[in-house]
């Protein structure tokens, strides 16, 4: 199945153009967009909405960039946990990894990126641009 977008979408992440191929450890713009679309859909299925504060406790640089892009795609607000705190104030949802999960409280619904169940859902989720019907309006 092709994920080629033939018409401009309003929720594509604007990135500056690069002339060279991505270097190891860097993410091509198109890949970032597709990965963020998948993660955004996972957040939506968990009940996240536009305007929600979503805590990001993700250390690997690429995963943190994808997580922040996904949060912004659904119109939510990415926030960082306060140093020494177990969550971010007002965040009902969060994105993290197994390495960080132990230091975080249960005050947020944490999506753990490297858990097997998350990876399985992520891999079968569409990476196409999000449709307006998938996004919920801020009330």
């Amino acid at each position: 199945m092709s994920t080629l977008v033939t018409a401009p979408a309003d929720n594509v992440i604007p990135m500056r153009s690069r002339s060279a191929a991505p270097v190891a450890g860097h993410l091509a713009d198109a890949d970032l967009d597709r990965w963020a679309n998948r993660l955004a859909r996972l957040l939506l299925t968990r009940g996240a909405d536009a305007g929600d504060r979503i805590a990001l406790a993700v250390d690997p640089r690429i995963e943190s960039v994808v997580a922040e892009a996904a949060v912004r795609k659904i119109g939510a607000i990415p926030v960082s946990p306060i140093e020494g705190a177990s969550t971010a104030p007002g965040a009902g949802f969060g994105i993290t990894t197994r390495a960080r999960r132990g230091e975080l409280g249960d005050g947020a619904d944490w999506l753990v990126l490297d858990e097997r169940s998350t990876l399985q859902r992520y891999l079968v989720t569409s990476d196409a641009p999000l449709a307006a019907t998938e996004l919920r309006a801020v009330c």
Side-chain angles (χ1 to χ4, degrees):
M1 175 168 97
S2 173
T3 59
L4 179 64
V5 178
T6 56
D10 60 357
N11 61 348
V12 173
I13 301 167
M15 304 290 282
R16 60 184 170 80
S17 179
R18 294 186 193 125
S19 57
V23 180
H26 290 86
L27 189 60
D29 298 345
D31 290 332
L32 169 60
D33 201 49
R34 288 190 299 264
W35 291 10
N37 288 337
R38 286 180 180 201
L39 187 53
R41 282 190 173 85
L42 289 183
L43 290 168
L44 291 170
T45 62
R46 292 175 82 94
D49 279 317
D52 284 347
R53 294 170 55 87
I54 300 179
L56 300 180
V58 184
D59 288 329
R61 179 74 180 134
I62 290 176
E63 286 86 343
S64 68
V65 170
V66 172
E68 183 173 347
V71 168
R72 292 188 186 283
K73 275 183 171 280
I74 66 171
I77 304 158
V79 294
S80 297
I82 297 171
E83 185 77 27
S86 61
T87 192
F93 296 92
I95 302 172
T96 192
T97 58
R98 286 187 296 191
R100 297 277 314 266
R101 183 60 184 101
E103 68 191 56
L104 303 167
D106 293 329
D109 178 9
W110 291 101
L111 177 65
V112 181
L113 294 176
D114 50 353
E115 279 186 345
R116 183 182 176 109
S117 62
T118 302
L119 291 170
Q120 288 173 330
R121 287 180 305 165
Y122 179 84
L123 292 172
V124 298
T125 300
S126 171
D127 63 359
L130 281 84
T133 56
E134 294 177 276
L135 302 171
R136 296 180 270 278
V138 178
C139 296

PDB file of all heavy atoms in Angstrom, residues 48-67:
ATOM      1  N   ALA A  48      -7.136  10.829  23.689  1.00  0.00           N
ATOM      2  CA  ALA A  48      -6.522  12.157  23.705  1.00  0.00           C
ATOM      3  C   ALA A  48      -7.252  13.072  22.725  1.00  0.00           C
ATOM      4  O   ALA A  48      -7.713  12.623  21.673  1.00  0.00           O
ATOM      5  CB  ALA A  48      -5.042  12.063  23.343  1.00  0.00           C
ATOM      6  N   ASP A  49      -7.362  14.322  23.087  1.00  0.00           N
ATOM      7  CA  ASP A  49      -8.077  15.308  22.276  1.00  0.00           C
ATOM      8  C   ASP A  49      -7.231  16.547  22.062  1.00  0.00           C
ATOM      9  O   ASP A  49      -6.264  16.796  22.788  1.00  0.00           O
ATOM     10  CB  ASP A  49      -9.355  15.767  22.991  1.00  0.00           C
ATOM     11  CG  ASP A  49     -10.506  14.807  22.833  1.00  0.00           C
ATOM     12  OD1 ASP A  49     -10.717  14.298  21.727  1.00  0.00           O
ATOM     13  OD2 ASP A  49     -11.209  14.577  23.847  1.00  0.00           O
ATOM     14  N   ALA A  50      -7.658  17.350  21.106  1.00  0.00           N
ATOM     15  CA  ALA A  50      -7.048  18.658  20.899  1.00  0.00           C
ATOM     16  C   ALA A  50      -7.199  19.455  22.190  1.00  0.00           C
ATOM     17  O   ALA A  50      -8.233  19.391  22.856  1.00  0.00           O
ATOM     18  CB  ALA A  50      -7.734  19.379  19.744  1.00  0.00           C
ATOM     19  N   GLY A  51      -6.146  20.156  22.557  1.00  0.00           N
ATOM     20  CA  GLY A  51      -6.166  20.962  23.770  1.00  0.00           C
ATOM     21  C   GLY A  51      -5.693  20.223  25.007  1.00  0.00           C
ATOM     22  O   GLY A  51      -5.407  20.854  26.025  1.00  0.00           O
ATOM     23  N   ASP A  52      -5.614  18.883  24.950  1.00  0.00           N
ATOM     24  CA  ASP A  52      -5.108  18.122  26.098  1.00  0.00           C
ATOM     25  C   ASP A  52      -3.628  18.404  26.303  1.00  0.00           C
ATOM     26  O   ASP A  52      -2.894  18.629  25.349  1.00  0.00           O
ATOM     27  CB  ASP A  52      -5.279  16.610  25.880  1.00  0.00           C
ATOM     28  CG  ASP A  52      -6.698  16.133  26.056  1.00  0.00           C
ATOM     29  OD1 ASP A  52      -7.533  16.897  26.580  1.00  0.00           O
ATOM     30  OD2 ASP A  52      -6.981  14.982  25.656  1.00  0.00           O
ATOM     31  N   ARG A  53      -3.196  18.350  27.556  1.00  0.00           N
ATOM     32  CA  ARG A  53      -1.774  18.427  27.882  1.00  0.00           C
ATOM     33  C   ARG A  53      -1.261  16.992  27.923  1.00  0.00           C
ATOM     34  O   ARG A  53      -1.808  16.172  28.647  1.00  0.00           O
ATOM     35  CB  ARG A  53      -1.574  19.123  29.231  1.00  0.00           C
ATOM     36  CG  ARG A  53      -1.987  20.596  29.183  1.00  0.00           C
ATOM     37  CD  ARG A  53      -2.028  21.213  30.569  1.00  0.00           C
ATOM     38  NE  ARG A  53      -0.779  21.072  31.294  1.00  0.00           N
ATOM     39  CZ  ARG A  53       0.253  21.908  31.219  1.00  0.00           C
ATOM     40  NH1 ARG A  53       0.180  22.957  30.420  1.00  0.00           N
ATOM     41  NH2 ARG A  53       1.341  21.717  31.929  1.00  0.00           N
ATOM     42  N   ILE A  54      -0.233  16.704  27.136  1.00  0.00           N
ATOM     43  CA  ILE A  54       0.326  15.353  27.072  1.00  0.00           C
ATOM     44  C   ILE A  54       1.789  15.417  27.496  1.00  0.00           C
ATOM     45  O   ILE A  54       2.595  16.112  26.884  1.00  0.00           O
ATOM     46  CB  ILE A  54       0.177  14.749  25.664  1.00  0.00           C
ATOM     47  CG1 ILE A  54      -1.314  14.679  25.300  1.00  0.00           C
ATOM     48  CG2 ILE A  54       0.841  13.374  25.590  1.00  0.00           C
ATOM     49  CD1 ILE A  54      -1.612  14.117  23.930  1.00  0.00           C
ATOM     50  N   ALA A  55       2.102  14.695  28.574  1.00  0.00           N
ATOM     51  CA  ALA A  55       3.463  14.679  29.111  1.00  0.00           C
ATOM     52  C   ALA A  55       4.370  13.854  28.210  1.00  0.00           C
ATOM     53  O   ALA A  55       3.997  12.776  27.750  1.00  0.00           O
ATOM     54  CB  ALA A  55       3.459  14.093  30.518  1.00  0.00           C
ATOM     55  N   LEU A  56       5.559  14.371  27.943  1.00  0.00           N
ATOM     56  CA  LEU A  56       6.550  13.663  27.140  1.00  0.00           C
ATOM     57  C   LEU A  56       7.760  13.366  28.021  1.00  0.00           C
ATOM     58  O   LEU A  56       8.473  14.271  28.430  1.00  0.00           O
ATOM     59  CB  LEU A  56       6.982  14.501  25.937  1.00  0.00           C
ATOM     60  CG  LEU A  56       5.886  14.899  24.956  1.00  0.00           C
ATOM     61  CD1 LEU A  56       6.475  15.718  23.812  1.00  0.00           C
ATOM     62  CD2 LEU A  56       5.154  13.686  24.426  1.00  0.00           C
ATOM     63  N   ALA A  57       7.947  12.089  28.332  1.00  0.00           N
ATOM     64  CA  ALA A  57       9.097  11.640  29.113  1.00  0.00           C
ATOM     65  C   ALA A  57       9.824  10.610  28.256  1.00  0.00           C
ATOM     66  O   ALA A  57       9.806   9.417  28.528  1.00  0.00           O
ATOM     67  CB  ALA A  57       8.653  11.051  30.447  1.00  0.00           C
ATOM     68  N   VAL A  58      10.417  11.100  27.183  1.00  0.00           N
ATOM     69  CA  VAL A  58      11.059  10.242  26.182  1.00  0.00           C
ATOM     70  C   VAL A  58      12.485  10.728  25.988  1.00  0.00           C
ATOM     71  O   VAL A  58      12.711  11.879  25.636  1.00  0.00           O
ATOM     72  CB  VAL A  58      10.292  10.303  24.835  1.00  0.00           C
ATOM     73  CG1 VAL A  58      10.891   9.353  23.834  1.00  0.00           C
ATOM     74  CG2 VAL A  58       8.812  10.011  25.041  1.00  0.00           C
ATOM     75  N   ASP A  59      13.448   9.847  26.228  1.00  0.00           N
ATOM     76  CA  ASP A  59      14.846  10.242  26.119  1.00  0.00           C
ATOM     77  C   ASP A  59      15.463  10.104  24.731  1.00  0.00           C
ATOM     78  O   ASP A  59      16.123  11.029  24.287  1.00  0.00           O
ATOM     79  CB  ASP A  59      15.697   9.485  27.138  1.00  0.00           C
ATOM     80  CG  ASP A  59      15.446   9.991  28.550  1.00  0.00           C
ATOM     81  OD1 ASP A  59      15.143  11.179  28.709  1.00  0.00           O
ATOM     82  OD2 ASP A  59      15.539   9.181  29.477  1.00  0.00           O
ATOM     83  N   PRO A  60      15.313   8.990  24.023  1.00  0.00           N
ATOM     84  CA  PRO A  60      15.974   8.929  22.710  1.00  0.00           C
ATOM     85  C   PRO A  60      15.500  10.089  21.838  1.00  0.00           C
ATOM     86  O   PRO A  60      14.300  10.350  21.729  1.00  0.00           O
ATOM     87  CB  PRO A  60      15.533   7.583  22.149  1.00  0.00           C
ATOM     88  CG  PRO A  60      15.153   6.770  23.345  1.00  0.00           C
ATOM     89  CD  PRO A  60      14.603   7.764  24.333  1.00  0.00           C
ATOM     90  N   ARG A  61      16.414  10.804  21.243  1.00  0.00           N
ATOM     91  CA  ARG A  61      16.111  12.023  20.497  1.00  0.00           C
ATOM     92  C   ARG A  61      15.089  11.813  19.384  1.00  0.00           C
ATOM     93  O   ARG A  61      14.151  12.582  19.248  1.00  0.00           O
ATOM     94  CB  ARG A  61      17.417  12.598  19.926  1.00  0.00           C
ATOM     95  CG  ARG A  61      17.234  13.851  19.117  1.00  0.00           C
ATOM     96  CD  ARG A  61      16.938  15.037  20.026  1.00  0.00           C
ATOM     97  NE  ARG A  61      16.770  16.213  19.192  1.00  0.00           N
ATOM     98  CZ  ARG A  61      15.791  17.075  19.339  1.00  0.00           C
ATOM     99  NH1 ARG A  61      14.920  16.929  20.283  1.00  0.00           N
ATOM    100  NH2 ARG A  61      15.697  18.112  18.542  1.00  0.00           N
ATOM    101  N   ILE A  62      15.255  10.778  18.586  1.00  0.00           N
ATOM    102  CA  ILE A  62      14.329  10.569  17.471  1.00  0.00           C
ATOM    103  C   ILE A  62      12.924  10.298  17.991  1.00  0.00           C
ATOM    104  O   ILE A  62      11.951  10.887  17.503  1.00  0.00           O
ATOM    105  CB  ILE A  62      14.821   9.440  16.546  1.00  0.00           C
ATOM    106  CG1 ILE A  62      16.061   9.909  15.785  1.00  0.00           C
ATOM    107  CG2 ILE A  62      13.727   8.998  15.574  1.00  0.00           C
ATOM    108  CD1 ILE A  62      16.712   8.866  14.911  1.00  0.00           C
ATOM    109  N   GLU A  63      12.805   9.454  19.001  1.00  0.00           N
ATOM    110  CA  GLU A  63      11.486   9.151  19.551  1.00  0.00           C
ATOM    111  C   GLU A  63      10.836  10.387  20.166  1.00  0.00           C
ATOM    112  O   GLU A  63       9.638  10.583  20.051  1.00  0.00           O
ATOM    113  CB  GLU A  63      11.580   8.036  20.597  1.00  0.00           C
ATOM    114  CG  GLU A  63      11.810   6.667  20.007  1.00  0.00           C
ATOM    115  CD  GLU A  63      13.273   6.332  19.760  1.00  0.00           C
ATOM    116  OE1 GLU A  63      14.129   7.263  19.740  1.00  0.00           O
ATOM    117  OE2 GLU A  63      13.585   5.151  19.561  1.00  0.00           O
ATOM    118  N   SER A  64      11.633  11.243  20.790  1.00  0.00           N
ATOM    119  CA  SER A  64      11.052  12.448  21.386  1.00  0.00           C
ATOM    120  C   SER A  64      10.559  13.418  20.321  1.00  0.00           C
ATOM    121  O   SER A  64       9.526  14.061  20.491  1.00  0.00           O
ATOM    122  CB  SER A  64      12.045  13.128  22.332  1.00  0.00           C
ATOM    123  OG  SER A  64      13.141  13.660  21.628  1.00  0.00           O
ATOM    124  N   VAL A  65      11.270  13.505  19.212  1.00  0.00           N
ATOM    125  CA  VAL A  65      10.837  14.374  18.107  1.00  0.00           C
ATOM    126  C   VAL A  65       9.538  13.841  17.506  1.00  0.00           C
ATOM    127  O   VAL A  65       8.602  14.602  17.245  1.00  0.00           O
ATOM    128  CB  VAL A  65      11.949  14.485  17.031  1.00  0.00           C
ATOM    129  CG1 VAL A  65      11.436  15.167  15.770  1.00  0.00           C
ATOM    130  CG2 VAL A  65      13.148  15.236  17.594  1.00  0.00           C
ATOM    131  N   VAL A  66       9.454  12.546  17.291  1.00  0.00           N
ATOM    132  CA  VAL A  66       8.238  11.932  16.746  1.00  0.00           C
ATOM    133  C   VAL A  66       7.075  12.129  17.715  1.00  0.00           C
ATOM    134  O   VAL A  66       5.969  12.491  17.304  1.00  0.00           O
ATOM    135  CB  VAL A  66       8.453  10.434  16.443  1.00  0.00           C
ATOM    136  CG1 VAL A  66       7.140   9.754  16.075  1.00  0.00           C
ATOM    137  CG2 VAL A  66       9.472  10.258  15.320  1.00  0.00           C
ATOM    138  N   ALA A  67       7.319  11.915  19.006  1.00  0.00           N
ATOM    139  CA  ALA A  67       6.256  12.069  20.006  1.00  0.00           C
ATOM    140  C   ALA A  67       5.724  13.498  20.032  1.00  0.00           C
ATOM    141  O   ALA A  67       4.505  13.723  20.046  1.00  0.00           O
ATOM    142  CB  ALA A  67       6.772  11.656  21.384  1.00  0.00           C
TER     143      ALA A  67
END
